[in-house]
Amino acid sequence: MGRWCFAAGDLRKNFYRTSCPSAEAIVKKITEKLVASNPDIPADLLRMHFHDCFVRGCDASILITSTANSTAEKDAIPNLSLGGFDVIDEIKTELESKCAGKVSCADILALAARDAVSFQFQKPMWEVLTGRRDGKVSRASEALANLPSPFSNFSTLLRSFKSKGLTVHDLVVLSGAHTIGHGNCILFSNRLYNFTGKGDQDPSLDPTYAAFLKTKCRSLSDTTTVDMDPGSSKKFDASYFVNLKHKKGLFQSDAALLTDKQSNKIVGELVKSTDFFKEFSQSMKRMGAIEVLTGNSGEIRKKCGVINS
């Protein structure tokens, strides 16, 4: 096949139908079992999938453990708060016992993220094409350089997404993933206590919401976590966009979506769950195809945390 760059066209439905027919069912079964006892897993896996795809594409480079001479992505500062690695490991162990060396860690992560988010709906919320292969490189420095920051303004966010082949529409839609999960106070407390360096509050933040956040984050150094989507942080829905319209986006990168005319308009088009789900499904398919390795590129890791020797 040669080692050129493959596009989404090389991913397909049911890639494992002959090599490991039960692969997708196994991923779903284990993911759902674990989500049933831990409601934080959907947010964890969705975030991990995003952090994987934005660094070297969706190649499971996020799962690799650092070695003595190489600091891997998972040890970069933005990834230190990731969770869900144990979920992927449990699925991988089961798949290796059923069909050794067949199913990539990259596909496991893409499928498990979808199945975890879909659990509350009892139906798949987006289609995951398969056939990704696992990368052999993972560098913390690349995570720092490629992952969008919660402090980013609109133009920085858009540049980041465009560099991955995504659009302003994808940027707004995928930000809706903040409908589930938590955010650490240190990532937004400057908006409460020292927005321009003068001990002031971010004027683009709803004052009542800001007062509530101050009861949770007592100072600039507080490391408490708060719900990203107030009142609905375990439920995957469109309330993120409703709250955002009311100036209740938690991060600067959320509020930034209101500062551009086009993205502000898109926010307004996503306040109904049916509309958001339809768009989210499309954008996730696009994100899940970023710079994927297929064919003879990469490898199928035996253990997700270790490159095959």
Side-chain angles (χ1 to χ4, degrees), residues 271-284:
V271 294
K272 290 223 291 283
S273 283
T274 45
D275 298 326
F276 168 50
F277 294 161
K278 189 165 135 274
E279 299 305 328
F280 193 75
S281 165
Q282 296 302 311
S283 289
M284 282 303 293

Side-chain angles (χ1 to χ4, degrees), residues 78-93:
N79 288 331
L80 293 176
S81 54
L82 287 179
F85 293 99
D86 49 339
V87 178
I88 304 302
D89 288 340
E90 186 171 331
I91 295 166
K92 181 63 170 170
T93 302

Side-chain angles (χ1 to χ4, degrees), residues 94-282:
E94 178 67 14
L95 284 171
E96 285 300 301
S97 75
K98 289 278 191 302
C99 0
K102 297 295 183 201
V103 184
S104 69
C105 300
D107 276 343
I108 293 171
L109 177 51
L111 290 163
R114 188 268 315 272
D115 293 340
V117 171
S118 301
F119 178 66
Q120 80 175 67
F121 302 99
Q122 289 297 303
K123 64 173 191 194
M125 295 302 282
W126 64 91
E127 181 181 51
V128 175
L129 301 178
T130 42
R132 294 168 192 78
R133 287 169 66 86
D134 298 324
K136 300 182 190 181
V137 178
S138 182
R139 296 189 188 107
S141 57
E142 294 182 358
L144 276 173
N146 283 279
L147 291 172
S149 151
F151 302 104
S152 294
N153 62 21
F154 179 76
S155 57
T156 306
L157 288 171
L158 186 58
R159 194 160 56 241
S160 169
F161 275 67
K162 280 191 165 169
S163 75
K164 305 298 167 190
L166 300 176
T167 64
V168 61
H169 190 261
D170 295 318
L171 162 61
V172 178
V173 170
L174 293 171
S175 295
H178 288 173
T179 175
I180 50 174
H182 319 285
N184 193 306
C185 288
I186 52 174
L187 300 176
F188 59 85
S189 55
N190 65 312
R191 301 184 72 198
L192 306 174
Y193 297 112
N194 199 24
F195 189 57
T196 64
K198 296 179 187 153
D200 53 342
Q201 194 168 294
D202 183 346
S204 74
L205 191 58
D206 173 80
T208 313
Y209 184 44
F212 164 76
L213 289 174
K214 283 179 172 175
T215 67
K216 301 284 187 188
C217 310
R218 297 290 184 174
S219 71
L220 280 171
S221 56
D222 198 329
T223 57
T224 311
T225 60
V226 306
D227 293 345
M228 286 198 282
D229 189 2
S232 152
S233 73
K234 299 266 192 276
K235 200 157 171 277
F236 194 85
D237 56 25
S239 60
Y240 166 84
F241 297 102
V242 177
N243 287 328
L244 188 55
K245 273 288 184 200
H246 290 123
K247 301 186 170 178
K248 294 178 184 173
L250 190 62
F251 300 131
Q252 265 165 269
S253 58
D254 296 317
L257 302 179
L258 302 178
T259 63
D260 171 82
K261 200 171 157 195
Q262 192 186 0
S263 75
N264 191 355
K265 181 169 174 285
I266 299 166
V267 169
E269 290 163 359
L270 295 169
V271 294
K272 290 223 291 283
S273 283
T274 45
D275 298 326
F276 168 50
F277 294 161
K278 189 165 135 274
E279 299 305 328
F280 193 75
S281 165
Q282 296 302 311

